[in-house]
Amino acid sequence: MSVLDRLGQRLLFAFDPEAAHGLSIAALKCGLPVAGRPVRDDRLKVSICGIDFPNPLGMAAGYDKNAEVTDALLGLGFGFAEVGTITPLPQAGNPKPRIFRLTSDEAVINRLGFNNEGHEAAEKRLAARKGRAGIVGVNIGANKDSADRVGDYERGVVRFAPYATYLTVNISSPNTPGLRNMQARQQLGELLSRVMAARAAAAAQPPVFLKIAPDLVEAELEDIAAEVTDKAIDGIIVSNTTIARPDLRSAEFAGEAGGLSGKPLFERSTIVLAKMRELLGPDRAIIGVGGVSTAETALEKVRAGADLVQLYTGMIYAGPSLPGRILSGMIRFVEKERLKSVRDLRDSRLDFWASKQL
């Protein structure tokens, strides 16, 4: 970490985690922190689903829930930013406190519950930036008390298709009761059929990704892969947070309910990623997320089968210069190995990761 990153972290860690998150959003709105020159190199470029990404590193959903700072995030060096999760109606989410730092593990537990300002507020912001450069994905969800959750996803597709470079269907948060049940094959088949029909009828047809949980067994992964293939979903995001608590050192908060993110999620999410790559074959797009905090962890996601990678929790502990450091590290590795592209690494350790037990 740079000295400025350390000072910024010390300041933010003096606040409650949710208050610190709000302060970081406010800082980005004001043009802070000032990032260095973006890392640009043709060897970092990745093209999937008809989209040309300037580099494979993205900001995951969950940070910019209301599409407030997309351009500022891209200015930090990310090749793309994913906003949301956005639900049709505004909702406050679960009672506070609902975010817990597990500092010794460089991890976070959250049980936010899709707190966001709703479709209308996000649409206004995304419409205002339409025509600007930069890849922005929109992550859509369902309201907690919705009588028709599948209908909520349909409404999200129709509303944000004109503004999204890609759409993500998020059915894998552990913090909305019953939501993960939509990963079961019968419910998933109906959801994906209706989502794809909604996209076909929308004003634009961006690629659609499905974001899945890491807490799945092999038979469930097989069912998901079958439905994704059958319904011609463009790609998968692996994975959301976990409800498991693997060997945590931060005893104070380890027992809190919610989804765990950060370094402890890396192994499980990477195993699931590799198994999904084997099930889906070489052509379906996969974004790997979970425990990415260094160039090496980002590269390992690619080796395990990812086309692109995302992070969020890693930046809490490593600061806003992290994207540039990761991309610089990836370039150094490509140069050292005399590769034409970082994409040449994809699947090079697929067998290693896919052979691991869940």
Side-chain angles (χ1 to χ4, degrees):
M1 290 178 70
S2 69
V3 173
L4 285 176
D5 281 351
R6 288 185 196 281
L7 290 172
Q9 184 195 71
R10 189 172 298 175
L11 172 63
L12 290 175
F13 275 33
F15 292 88
D16 163 85
E18 192 158 354
H21 175 265
L23 286 171
S24 71
I25 293 283
L28 285 171
K29 284 182 176 180
C30 295
L32 296 171
V34 178
R37 181 178 298 178
V39 177
R40 301 189 188 280
D41 193 295
D42 286 348
R43 292 168 293 183
L44 293 174
K45 292 180 178 179
V46 178
S47 295
I48 59 167
C49 302
I51 306 168
D52 296 324
F53 292 80
N55 69 64
L57 184 65
M59 170 58 93
Y63 178 75
D64 189 11
K65 289 179 174 292
N66 297 302
E68 297 176 272
V69 290
T70 51
D71 293 300
L73 289 171
L74 295 170
L76 295 179
F78 287 108
F80 62 108
E82 187 171 318
V83 303
T85 298
I86 307 170
T87 58
L89 299 176
Q91 61 181 27
N94 294 320
K96 298 179 182 180
R98 52 194 182 177
I99 306 177
F100 306 89
R101 297 188 196 101
L102 283 68
T103 306
S104 298
D105 300 285
E106 293 189 33
V108 165
I109 291 173
N110 92 81
R111 51 173 180 263
L112 288 161
F114 286 173
N115 58 309
N116 73 107
E117 296 173 3
H119 280 185
E120 185 176 354
E123 183 186 22
K124 286 180 180 178
R125 296 184 182 111
L126 291 167
R129 77 168 303 277
K130 192 171 183 181
R132 295 181 200 165
I135 296 169
V136 177
V138 178
N139 184 302
I140 56 175
N143 282 113
K144 180 179 180 179
D145 58 356
S146 174
D148 180 11
R149 285 185 171 173
V150 175
D152 282 7
Y153 288 98
E154 290 176 306
R155 285 186 281 277
V157 169
V158 171
R159 192 131 196 185
F160 294 111
Y163 313 108
T165 314
Y166 67 88
L167 292 165
T168 297
V169 175
N170 183 3
I171 55 171
S172 51
S173 169
N175 300 318
T176 297
L179 188 74
R180 286 190 170 189
N181 295 339
M182 299 180 81
Q183 295 174 120
R185 186 160 188 176
Q186 184 173 355
Q187 292 187 55
L188 182 63
E190 179 189 358
L191 169 68
L192 297 183
S193 291
R194 288 173 60 178
V195 161
M196 295 306 278
R199 185 186 70 167
Q205 286 76 44
V208 172
F209 287 76
L210 177 70
K211 188 165 187 175
I212 65 172
D215 308 304
L216 296 164
V217 299
E218 302 225 14
E220 292 171 317
L221 296 177
E222 290 169 5
D223 285 347
I224 290 170
E227 290 300 326
V228 164
T229 301
D230 182 65
K231 305 304 186 295
I233 301 301
D234 297 280
I236 291 277
I237 300 180
V238 185
S239 69
N240 214 314
T241 59
T242 180
I243 57 174
R245 297 292 184 265
D247 300 323
L248 297 175
R249 290 173 290 178
S250 305
E252 182 181 2
F253 297 122
E256 293 289 346
L260 174 73
S261 62
K263 283 189 175 182
L265 180 56
F266 178 79
E267 183 166 1
R268 175 83 185 197
S269 62
T270 307
I271 295 170
V272 175
L273 159 64
K275 290 181 182 295
M276 286 303 296
R277 173 56 74 200
E278 281 199 331
L279 290 166
L280 292 170
D283 298 328
R284 195 82 53 182
I286 297 181
I287 301 177
V289 55
V292 174
S293 58
T294 62
E296 180 55 37
T297 49
L299 290 166
E300 196 64 15
K301 293 284 188 186
V302 177
R303 294 185 186 104
D307 298 290
L308 305 167
V309 296
Q310 291 178 319
L311 61 82
Y312 171 9
T313 302
M315 207 161 78
I316 294 173
Y317 291 99
S321 64
L322 181 61
R325 297 204 305 274
I326 288 177
L327 294 171
S328 295
M330 294 175 90
I331 292 171
R332 286 194 298 272
F333 183 86
V334 168
E335 288 176 343
K336 177 184 174 184
E337 298 298 318
R338 298 182 180 179
L339 303 175
K340 292 181 179 179
S341 168
V342 69
R343 192 160 175 81
D344 293 344
L345 286 172
R346 211 200 77 179
D347 300 342
S348 59
R349 278 167 56 86
L350 174 60
D351 292 344
F352 170 82
W353 284 102
S355 66
K356 287 179 171 282
Q357 296 294 313
L358 288 172

